[in-house]
């Protein structure tokens, strides 16, 4: 939904007024499974990407907090650790995101994930999978910095003793995802344009070939949609991120608690 709603010059058949109307229209006209197209490639990359992401975050957070605040909770350490962890995460997830978004566009010519990978590789080269990588980082570094700082701040407020508390992890994760998602929507709109390379939109502002670079994307979005163009799909983005970050944090905190408890039991 987010990819479709961020389209800057959509096909008349793919114009939606809201999230509910978009979902209803896609399911009725294109089938029940259409909104989930390309999800398999995302799931394939998500496992190793998130493993590196949380491992890097935990290690860096602890090391930096020891330096900056003598073992206390440092928001600066949380932000830096989250930003560095993003570099590893996005290196794995960026190609998966390109494939997923291309398959989710209206009238997508790709029949399967492999067909999409082969066609993009053949027609645009390997670099096409990383064309939006710097933009992804430009978006995700502030997103993750805001996300981790907000999560740790929320934990300080509702779970100050840092015990394993599923409800506090879910609430903190959801709030952190919503705040970070809303704040970085303009960057996400630019990323979607770079990933999908909408021909109709680009040709309407006399851009031939492939659009590249964050600055060019920002200028093009403004020319096509003005200031409001930067916030296209903000509702869908927040709705998507809230359960996503809530689930990620609750699963992470559960395994952290389970493994720590198991380790202590083994010692005793």
């Amino acid at each position: 939904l987010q990819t479709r709603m961020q389209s800057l010059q959509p096909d008349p058949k793919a114009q939606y007024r809201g999230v509910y109307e978009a979902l209803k229209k896609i399911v009725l006209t294109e089938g029940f499974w259409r909104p989930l197209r390309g999800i398999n490639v995302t799931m394939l990359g998500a496992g190793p990407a998130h493993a590196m992401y949380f491992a890097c975050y935990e290690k860096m957070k602890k090391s930096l907090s020891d330096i900056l605040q003598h073992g206390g909770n440092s928001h600066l350490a949380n932000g830096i650790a989250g930003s560095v962890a993003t570099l590893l995460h996005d290196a794995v997830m960026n190609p998966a995101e390109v494939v997923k978004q291309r398959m989710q566009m209206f009238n997508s010519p790709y029949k399967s994930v492999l067909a999409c990978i082969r066609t993009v590789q053949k027609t645009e080269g390997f670099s096409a999978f990383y064309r939006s990588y710097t933009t992804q980082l430009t978006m995700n570094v502030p997103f993750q910095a805001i996300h981790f700082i907000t999560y740790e701040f929320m934990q300080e407020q509702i779970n100050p003793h840092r015990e394993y508390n599923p409800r506090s992890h879910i609430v903190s994760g959801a709030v952190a995802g919503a705040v970070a998602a809303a704040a970085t929507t303009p960057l996400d709109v630019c990323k979607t344009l770079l990933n999908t390379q909408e021909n109709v939109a680009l040709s309407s502002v006399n851009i031939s070939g492939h659009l590249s670079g964050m600055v060019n994307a920002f200028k093009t979005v403004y020319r096509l949609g003005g200031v409001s163009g930067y916030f296209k799909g903000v509702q869908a983005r927040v709705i998507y991120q809230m359960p996503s970050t809530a689930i990620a944090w609750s699963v992470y905190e559960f395994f952290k608690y389970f493994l720590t408890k198991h380790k202590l039991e083994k010692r005793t």
Side-chain angles (χ1 to χ4, degrees):
L1 292 184
Q2 183 185 322
T3 301
R4 294 280 188 96
M5 292 181 79
Q6 285 180 345
S7 176
L8 292 163
Q9 287 206 340
D11 187 286
K13 293 176 185 174
Q15 289 180 343
Y16 315 108
R17 281 193 294 269
V19 175
Y20 175 72
E21 190 212 349
L23 183 60
K24 185 181 172 184
K25 198 170 178 181
I26 291 168
V27 169
L28 289 174
T29 58
E30 300 174 56
F32 181 78
W33 298 108
R34 190 66 177 86
L36 297 175
R37 269 201 97 193
I39 200 81
N40 50 346
V41 72
T42 307
M43 288 171 69
L44 197 67
H50 276 78
M52 290 191 293
Y53 174 68
F54 279 115
C56 178
Y57 171 69
E58 197 63 37
K59 180 68 179 170
M60 281 207 70
K61 180 181 81 166
K62 192 175 183 306
S63 302
L64 288 170
S65 289
D66 287 343
I67 297 165
L68 298 171
Q69 209 153 314
H70 308 293
N73 180 41
S74 165
H75 291 307
L76 180 60
N78 299 335
I80 294 169
S83 301
V84 174
T86 304
L87 297 174
L88 294 174
H89 176 272
D90 287 359
V92 176
M93 288 305 293
N94 202 84
E97 185 75 4
V98 172
V99 173
K100 185 196 79 171
Q101 288 195 316
R102 289 195 181 221
M103 291 187 72
Q104 287 178 343
M105 290 302 286
F106 183 73
N107 275 342
S108 173
Y110 311 109
K111 303 294 179 191
S112 68
V113 168
L114 281 175
C116 181
I117 293 168
R118 285 197 197 105
T119 306
V120 173
Q121 167 71 31
K122 191 177 177 182
T123 57
E124 300 176 48
F126 180 76
S127 62
F129 294 109
Y130 283 94
R131 190 179 287 131
S132 66
Y133 182 59
T134 51
T135 308
Q136 181 92 330
L137 289 177
T138 307
M139 180 187 76
N140 278 356
V141 165
F143 175 91
Q144 296 302 351
I146 295 166
H147 172 208
F148 282 108
I149 289 168
T150 306
Y151 178 81
E152 298 287 357
F153 173 78
M154 286 296 295
Q155 283 291 285
E156 279 183 347
Q157 305 309 308
I158 61 177
N159 187 17
H161 298 298
R162 296 304 177 100
E163 296 164 343
Y164 174 63
N165 183 331
R167 188 180 293 176
S168 82
H169 302 316
I170 290 168
V171 171
S172 298
V175 171
V179 171
T184 56
T185 297
L187 296 161
D188 195 48
V189 172
C190 295
K191 185 201 76 172
T192 297
L193 182 62
L194 287 168
N195 275 349
T196 56
Q197 300 288 318
E198 291 178 71
N199 290 327
V200 177
L202 297 180
S203 60
S204 72
V205 286
N206 299 318
I207 294 174
S208 56
H210 299 299
L211 182 71
S212 63
M214 188 59 155
V215 175
N216 288 334
F218 252 95
K219 287 177 183 173
T220 307
V221 170
Y222 185 76
R223 286 168 69 188
L224 287 163
V227 174
S228 62
Y230 293 117
F231 291 92
K232 290 196 84 176
V234 63
Q235 200 182 358
R237 180 164 160 76
V238 169
I239 291 168
Y240 165 76
Q241 287 293 349
M242 283 181 76
S244 174
T245 48
I247 292 165
W249 277 110
S250 56
V251 171
Y252 168 68
E253 293 284 7
F254 168 75
F255 278 103
K256 186 177 166 184
Y257 165 75
F258 176 78
L259 293 169
T260 307
K261 188 184 174 189
H262 184 66
K263 202 173 179 181
L264 286 169
E265 283 173 355
K266 276 183 80 177
R267 280 180 187 170
T268 54

